[in-house]
Amino acid sequence: MSGPLQGFRVIDLTTVISGPLATMTLADQGADVIKIEHPEGGDLSRRVTGRRGGFSASFLNNNRGKKSVTLNLKDARGVEAALRLCETADVVVQNFRPGVIDRLGLGEDAVRAVRSDIIYTSIAGFGFEGDWARKPVYDPLIQALSGLASVQGGADTARPRLVRTILPDKLTAIQTSQAITAALLSRARTGEGCHVRVSMLDTVLAFLWSSDMAGYTFVGDEAEPDKGAEAQSFVELIYQTTDGWMAVSAHTDSTWAGLSAAVNRPDWLEDPRFATVAAREENKPARLDLTQQELLKDTTENWMRRLSAHDVPCAPVLTRDQVYMHPQVEANDTMIELDHPEAGRIRQTRTPARFSNTPTGSPTPAPRLGADTRDVLAQAGYDANAVAALIADGIATDVQDMPE
């Protein structure tokens, strides 16, 4: 596979979403990613619902472009084989709960003993130190503890609500893939590896701070949080029309003037509550309520035409069955279709980043469990008899039939 990371090898010890999506991003960009899974069932995401041909959509969408090797890491021979693979690698990624990977014998010290300049990467939920570090964690818990659920609910006094997608998991995956690339760049300059640590909690807090924590930015002003920040979350920016929903954003003087013209309300421009950017933020609930009243008078399509004529940022709210067929998505060439040998024809998004000098190739589909065990272990120096012995003893497995 081509791409800017061609020639780099990644050992993927992760499961479910945050780790697998991070390493799939690297695979999409050309890295050789070897996913090590337990012989009995493999990654948990292989077994969730939404399946065809023995494959779940979740596994397909977070593990394409990888090779699958099965090793029982609770057996010394499985750990030895994993370390042999680490000798050939540039990056190791794991998302076990803090402390578990060391007990398995694949912690940073053990891996660095066989490859001193490796980029060792750990993903954690709440962090690596403190009382919460070893607590079990799932996406909703991070949304709760980070304040994201409060932001999503509106004002801090309103009922908290979850973002209806596992944003912390996926955001952490993106952060991790970027951090790994930065570490590889540093190694190219210094010759030294490092330990990259990324927590979901840190990632979401940093994500929120850039736009949702204005009232807590200036130290000493915490007792009087910024009213605009509170209002920012209080009213939705999705408006109902006569036949659906749409998003409209009019923050600047020019777009506010455009919106006023599009809805035929020139009086808004004379209203002192909306005379400046700061005033419009201070009076955001009133401004958005007035906007909603006007947009209920026509269809989404008509508003799109009228607002666009005045250069007001706007977009229809699309349902999931509409998104991938939208003309702009088609213009971006976002969607790809692949033939999977077991799951059949599948639809996915291509990697979002495009590289002019090192374009990425077509990704290979997500692998069957153990599909590459023999080949990868042979490349690591195991002869056929040694691999056969590992398989016979249940330490590793060859490609397995996938349960429906």
Side-chain angles (χ1 to χ4, degrees):
M1 186 171 179
S2 57
L5 294 181
Q6 186 173 21
F8 291 100
R9 171 170 279 192
V10 178
I11 303 300
D12 180 3
L13 299 171
T14 68
T15 60
V16 191
I17 301 293
S18 63
L21 179 56
T23 55
M24 190 186 80
T25 300
L26 303 177
D28 280 347
Q29 295 174 358
D32 176 25
V33 178
I34 298 173
K35 184 177 180 70
I36 296 180
E37 303 180 72
H38 194 281
E40 298 178 5
D43 191 325
L44 175 65
S45 67
R46 287 186 181 273
R47 306 192 291 278
V48 299
T49 57
R51 308 170 60 79
R52 189 170 71 186
F55 276 84
S56 72
S58 177
F59 186 82
L60 290 170
N61 290 333
N62 292 284
N63 291 282
R64 71 182 177 205
K66 303 179 186 179
K67 298 172 183 174
S68 174
V69 172
T70 54
L71 291 173
N72 183 354
L73 300 180
K74 294 185 178 179
D75 188 289
R77 290 170 293 174
V79 173
E80 178 187 1
L83 287 171
R84 291 270 289 271
L85 295 179
C86 289
E87 288 183 46
T88 69
D90 300 282
V91 179
V92 170
V93 189
Q94 63 89 16
N95 65 346
F96 290 96
R97 203 182 304 183
V100 172
I101 195 72
D102 296 290
R103 293 196 294 272
L104 288 174
L106 288 168
E108 181 187 7
D109 291 343
V111 172
R112 205 167 294 288
V114 300
R115 181 67 189 260
S116 62
D117 64 347
I118 203 155
I119 306 301
Y120 191 92
T121 307
S122 299
I123 301 171
F126 296 116
F128 298 90
E129 305 292 339
D131 294 340
W132 285 69
R134 287 173 169 76
K135 286 180 178 288
V137 63
Y138 291 95
D139 193 279
L141 280 64
I142 298 296
Q143 293 202 36
L145 192 64
S146 67
L148 176 57
S150 180
V151 170
Q152 187 68 9
D156 286 348
T157 55
R159 185 192 189 283
R161 297 188 181 278
L162 294 178
V163 178
R164 290 189 174 271
T165 184
I166 52 173
L167 186 145
D169 270 300
K170 292 185 279 191
L171 191 64
T172 301
I174 297 168
Q175 179 69 72
T176 300
S177 63
Q178 187 278 330
I180 288 170
T181 306
L184 287 170
L185 176 60
S186 176
R187 190 183 71 172
R189 291 171 171 170
T190 67
E192 297 179 359
C194 70
H195 191 164
V196 175
R197 295 177 177 88
V198 182
S199 84
M200 294 170 67
L201 179 59
D202 288 354
T203 299
V204 176
L205 279 171
F207 175 77
L208 291 176
W209 219 273
S210 70
S211 63
D212 301 283
M213 301 297 286
Y216 303 91
T217 297
F218 301 109
V219 176
D221 291 350
E222 295 88 345
E224 298 180 8
D226 179 67
K227 293 180 181 179
E230 186 79 357
Q232 179 74 23
S233 302
F234 188 72
V235 182
E236 298 285 352
L237 292 175
I238 299 295
Y239 301 99
Q240 189 173 9
T241 65
T242 57
D243 66 346
W245 303 85
M246 67 185 303
V248 179
S249 296
H251 302 297
T252 66
D253 290 338
S254 63
T255 56
W256 176 245
L259 173 62
S260 301
V263 300
N264 196 28
R265 290 295 303 269
D267 56 300
W268 288 358
L269 300 181
E270 306 301 323
D271 193 321
R273 295 176 299 170
F274 313 132
T276 65
V277 171
R280 289 193 292 275
E281 284 301 299
E282 281 285 326
N283 296 284
K284 190 169 187 177
R287 174 169 58 89
L288 299 188
D289 183 60
L290 287 174
T291 304
Q292 175 61 92
Q293 292 176 33
E294 295 302 321
L295 293 181
L296 270 172
K297 298 176 180 178
D298 209 339
T299 65
T300 300
E301 182 179 356
N302 285 341
W303 282 126
M304 285 295 301
R305 183 170 58 253
R306 291 166 64 176
L307 291 165
S308 296
H310 291 277
D311 205 28
V312 178
C314 57
V317 174
L318 302 182
T319 56
R320 279 173 280 196
D321 63 335
Q322 297 172 323
V323 169
Y324 65 91
M325 295 184 292
H326 189 271
Q328 187 57 48
V329 174
E330 293 179 349
N332 289 354
D333 201 22
T334 303
M335 308 306 303
I336 56 175
E337 293 190 7
L338 306 170
D339 288 312
H340 193 282
E342 282 79 30
R345 191 76 171 169
I346 61 175
R347 180 186 297 112
Q348 296 180 321
T349 60
R350 68 173 67 250
T351 184
R354 313 290 173 88
F355 303 91
S356 62
N357 293 340
T358 53
T360 57
S362 298
T364 58
R368 295 174 69 181
L369 183 61
D372 305 285
T373 297
R374 291 184 183 272
D375 289 343
V376 172
L377 290 181
Q379 293 170 15
Y382 284 83
D383 62 32
N385 291 333
V387 174
L390 289 173
I391 292 174
D393 292 341
I395 309 303
T397 55
D398 202 347
V399 65
Q400 302 176 21
D401 291 331
M402 302 295 293
E404 295 296 333

